[in-house]
Amino acid sequence: MDADGRDVAGARHTFRWGQWAARVVVLVVAAMIVHFLVTNPNFEWGTVWAWFRAPSIGRALWTTLWLAAVSMVLGTLLGVFLAVARMSANRLLNGLAGVYIWFFRGTPLLVQLIFWFNLAALLPQIGIGVPFGGPKLVSWSTNDLITPLTAAILGLALNEAAYMAEVIRGGLLSVDPGQREAARAFGMSSGRALRRVVLPQAMRAIIPPTGNQLISMVKATSQVSVIAMADLLYTVQSVYNRTFETIPLLIVAVLWYLIVTSVLNVVQAFIEDHYARGERGTTGLPAMVRRRLRGRRGAGRAGAPVTTIEQGDRA
Amino acid sequence: MSQTGTTTRAGTTADHPVVCARGVRKSFGDLQVLKGIDLDVRRGEVVVVLGPSGSGKSTLLRCINHLEVMDAGWITVDGVQIGYESRGGRLFHARDSVIARQRQRVGMVFQQFNLFGHMTVLENLIEAPVGLHGVPRDEAVRRARRLLAQVGLEGREDSYPRQLSGGQQQRVAIARALAIEPDLLLFDEPTSALDPELVGEVLGTMRELAAAGYTMVVVTHEISFAREAADTVVFMDDGVIVEQGPPEDVLGNPQEERTKAFLQRFL
């Protein structure tokens, strides 16, 4: 060893009293919380467990899930169009998308939901025909069209589209303009260049905030309870309005929301890993898991045999 | 290089110029970048465009395939004005899909390579042939492997661009440009972003293409490449072509003061 003690291999970490004190404090507080959760009879864990598995809560959870999924898909599709329009050189498209985003981001979701639900008060009939009071080809009663379900999907999807448009636009801007230029130079139309070259690379920047949006969406669906849509929160509320087991039922809702968002976090990690291909240094758990799976399946993968043959040739 | 540059397509003949530019003008705001350029590129000819930075040479190159929209004048590639279409004797700005089709036989190599980062080397090479030219996938793959061997990168087809050195990326980019069986190859400062020790491998590949008879327009700062590989050297300065001719004339015995001053800096 170095006699002067300069060799960094021998360097030690200073013992940090502050760090250890902080750890002790955190441990004590955590123990207090657990103690509170376990010993406070007002949580009524038995009731929580019973309702946690109740079929009515399961149906409500299902409503929440597919409402979030449908609204997210519709919102994302519309968001892609808005993002592309917002970035287009066409002033008309650009302006229209700008106004849309301005309006739907600028007003509370709750207000939009109530507004769509009460659309009939503003517009009793919806039809297709000659505008400005001309004859109608077909016409529907707004009250028939706008149910809690359609109002919820309209409200959530249209609102989501405004946010997703900005998320997607940010992703598209993160891709080197040279990529688009090369695609165009090789004879791709702008639509094809977007689909094949720009969007796939924008996904890396789009996925993390989209995960945020999806998790927000799952929770935002709770706002449809104001228009009598039987989602998780609405159902939980209607139960405790009857039984007065307010806290246990709210905990049931909290647990289910946490479970769903946790699963989404894991899914997001896998999707991020998929779109990280082409980048060096893609570590992280999903990458490890996928490599293991691939190793086990071996040459069964499409495309893998080619590599095998080549390596065989060289050997 | 098995491919020859003497193949002719419908409507063109061997002595008809591949590129024909007349009176090309282009400004960026108040700055006039091209002040009336006339240029012909014959089939199989290698034209090397030299000139100081800001002389307009890259802009001229990008006008050829309409990546840059010129203000006045015209350029034809194989008789087609890329970016425009004529209807009833009048010229219209072409629609996006038409422009895309007009560009499909022009290969381009960029300073920053611009390989598609999310695709493997092989996918980069077959993207245009399969997706745009309707070449069957297995045939495109076979051709791509042959091209990779030509540029000295066999066995790298499953690599992603970021896993390759700059010189290797640029050679893949050249192979990608060859994969579309181009009538014309455009090189926009292909070695300017490379470390000095990697310049040679790319220039070597380009020299082979020149010898194989490809029609090439090369914008570069590499005087040595111009001397060895060019049929015609074009010297540009301040938006005009100052001097053009065979390398032994323009480089060996320049007539214009500006050419002499530019070349002086490389001695």
Side-chain angles (χ1 to χ4, degrees):
Chain A
M1 287 301 282
D2 184 7
D4 295 337
R6 285 186 188 145
D7 189 344
V8 293
R12 287 174 214 179
H13 290 285
T14 326
F15 188 79
R16 295 200 200 145
W17 293 102
Q19 280 269 351
W20 281 99
R23 281 176 200 179
V24 169
V25 169
V26 168
L27 259 174
V28 169
V29 171
M32 283 166 68
I33 292 173
V34 170
H35 179 256
F36 172 71
L37 287 172
V38 171
T39 59
N40 191 325
N42 295 333
F43 280 114
E44 301 178 44
W45 289 108
T47 314
V48 169
W49 179 236
W51 280 109
F52 184 77
R53 298 168 303 157
S56 61
I57 297 294
R59 280 193 299 275
L61 177 66
W62 176 241
T63 303
T64 287
L65 286 180
W66 75 253
L67 185 61
V70 168
S71 307
M72 193 68 196
V73 168
L74 292 177
T76 306
L77 289 178
L78 183 55
V80 171
F81 281 106
L82 286 168
V84 172
R86 194 86 185 92
M87 291 176 74
S88 104
N90 185 323
R91 289 250 186 99
L92 181 68
L93 283 177
N94 193 319
L96 285 175
V99 168
Y100 182 99
I101 293 167
W102 166 77
F103 185 82
F104 282 91
R105 276 204 315 181
T107 50
L109 173 61
L110 196 54
V111 174
Q112 290 175 32
L113 283 169
I114 300 171
F115 180 86
W116 290 118
F117 190 55
N118 292 295
L119 190 62
L122 185 67
L123 201 68
Q125 296 278 316
I126 296 174
I128 301 168
V130 181
F132 308 114
K136 296 267 181 289
L137 284 174
V138 273
S139 173
W140 299 276
S141 156
T142 305
N143 265 329
D144 293 345
L145 290 178
I146 300 290
T147 61
L149 173 67
T150 50
I153 291 177
L154 262 180
L156 290 171
L158 294 183
N159 186 261
E160 188 59 30
Y163 285 93
M164 281 308 294
E166 290 296 277
V167 165
I168 292 164
R169 190 171 69 95
L172 295 178
L173 286 174
S174 75
V175 178
D176 173 16
Q179 292 287 314
R180 188 185 156 75
E181 192 158 74
R184 307 278 284 124
F186 278 89
M188 290 192 203
S189 62
S190 28
R192 194 184 169 85
L194 181 75
R195 229 173 41 246
R196 296 285 304 168
V197 175
V198 182
L199 254 185
Q201 298 187 74
M203 289 308 271
R204 272 176 59 76
I206 290 175
I207 293 295
T210 302
N212 259 345
Q213 288 299 120
L214 182 54
I215 284 169
S216 297
M217 171 62 90
V218 169
K219 293 179 298 174
T221 53
S222 64
Q223 296 183 48
V224 303
S225 55
V226 299
I227 56 172
M229 177 87 191
D231 76 313
L232 185 55
L233 182 63
Y234 182 84
T235 307
V236 159
Q237 280 174 329
S238 50
V239 171
Y240 70 62
N241 283 339
R242 217 170 51 232
T243 66
F244 301 108
E245 296 161 328
T246 312
I247 294 293
L249 276 150
L250 284 177
I251 288 181
V252 168
V254 165
L255 287 177
W256 274 119
Y257 281 122
L258 276 175
I259 289 169
V260 170
T261 51
S262 304
V263 169
L264 290 176
N265 277 330
V266 174
V267 172
Q268 183 184 341
F270 274 92
I271 297 175
E272 276 178 30
D273 180 63
H274 172 74
Y275 282 105
R277 70 190 194 281
E279 291 284 337
R280 235 183 315 198
T282 58
T283 49
L285 186 66
M288 269 166 52
V289 174
R290 282 203 316 157
R291 263 196 296 278
R292 288 230 181 103
L293 287 175
R294 199 177 297 162
R296 215 163 287 165
R297 271 179 290 167
R301 254 175 80 246
V306 176
T307 336
T308 330
I309 291 164
E310 273 198 357
Q311 281 162 350
D313 282 351
R314 251 181 266 129
Chain B
M1 302 267 154
S2 57
Q3 198 166 0
T4 64
T6 51
T7 43
T8 56
R9 291 189 189 281
T12 62
T13 59
D15 53 344
H16 192 93
V18 178
V19 180
C20 186
R22 292 293 178 271
V24 176
R25 290 176 186 280
K26 170 75 184 172
S27 301
F28 292 113
D30 290 337
L31 184 69
Q32 234 191 324
V33 184
L34 297 176
K35 302 174 179 171
I37 300 284
D38 295 346
L39 182 71
D40 283 326
V41 181
R42 296 185 317 276
R43 192 162 298 283
E45 186 177 13
V46 176
V47 173
V48 175
V49 185
L50 298 174
S53 301
S55 58
K57 51 193 194 306
S58 275
T59 306
L60 174 64
L61 190 80
R62 294 160 57 81
C63 281
I64 293 177
N65 63 350
H66 200 63
L67 282 184
E68 215 70 78
V69 182
M70 54 195 150
D71 301 332
W74 53 266
I75 299 179
T76 58
V77 177
D78 277 340
V80 175
Q81 273 183 274
I82 297 181
Y84 305 90
E85 51 188 340
S86 178
R87 288 197 298 267
R90 297 185 63 180
L91 200 62
F92 291 87
H93 290 277
R95 276 172 298 124
D96 179 65
S97 57
V98 174
I99 302 174
R101 216 171 321 119
Q102 290 171 335
R103 282 179 175 136
Q104 285 182 359
R105 291 293 173 187
V106 181
M108 189 161 190
V109 176
F110 298 86
Q111 183 175 350
Q112 301 293 343
F113 330 133
N114 295 356
L115 290 172
F116 304 134
H118 61 306
M119 298 183 188
T120 63
V121 165
L122 191 70
E123 288 166 345
N124 263 282
L125 261 62
I126 65 173
E127 177 62 26
V130 173
L132 301 172
H133 298 257
V135 177
R137 198 188 152 83
D138 48 347
E139 192 193 322
V141 168
R142 259 200 312 279
R143 205 197 296 159
R145 289 183 191 283
R146 205 171 57 230
L147 287 169
L148 280 177
Q150 279 179 26
V151 299
L153 287 170
E154 52 216 317
R156 301 312 298 264
E157 37 278 86
D158 293 328
S159 303
Y160 283 96
R162 250 169 279 254
Q163 297 166 333
L164 304 175
S165 74
Q168 290 172 327
Q169 285 190 55
Q170 194 60 300
R171 283 184 283 150
V172 172
I174 292 172
R176 175 177 68 170
L178 298 179
I180 62 167
E181 303 193 310
D183 285 342
L184 172 67
L185 281 171
L186 304 176
F187 293 81
D188 189 3
E189 308 211 18
T191 56
S192 298
L194 296 176
D195 292 334
E197 74 269 25
L198 301 177
V199 169
E201 59 188 72
V202 171
L203 290 181
T205 302
M206 288 169 60
R207 241 176 248 124
E208 287 172 33
L209 298 183
Y214 280 99
T215 311
M216 297 161 59
V217 181
V218 183
V219 167
T220 186
H221 291 283
E222 298 291 333
I223 309 279
S224 64
F225 177 78
R227 188 172 290 120
E228 292 160 36
D231 298 308
T232 304
V233 173
V234 172
F235 176 71
M236 280 181 71
D237 190 14
D238 199 23
V240 296
I241 292 178
V242 176
E243 198 166 350
Q244 65 175 314
E248 45 288 10
D249 294 353
V250 177
L251 300 175
N253 183 24
Q255 301 300 306
E256 300 289 331
E257 279 310 314
R258 280 192 281 182
T259 319
K260 285 178 193 164
F262 176 77
L263 292 173
Q264 207 78 54
R265 277 184 267 152
F266 290 91
L267 293 178

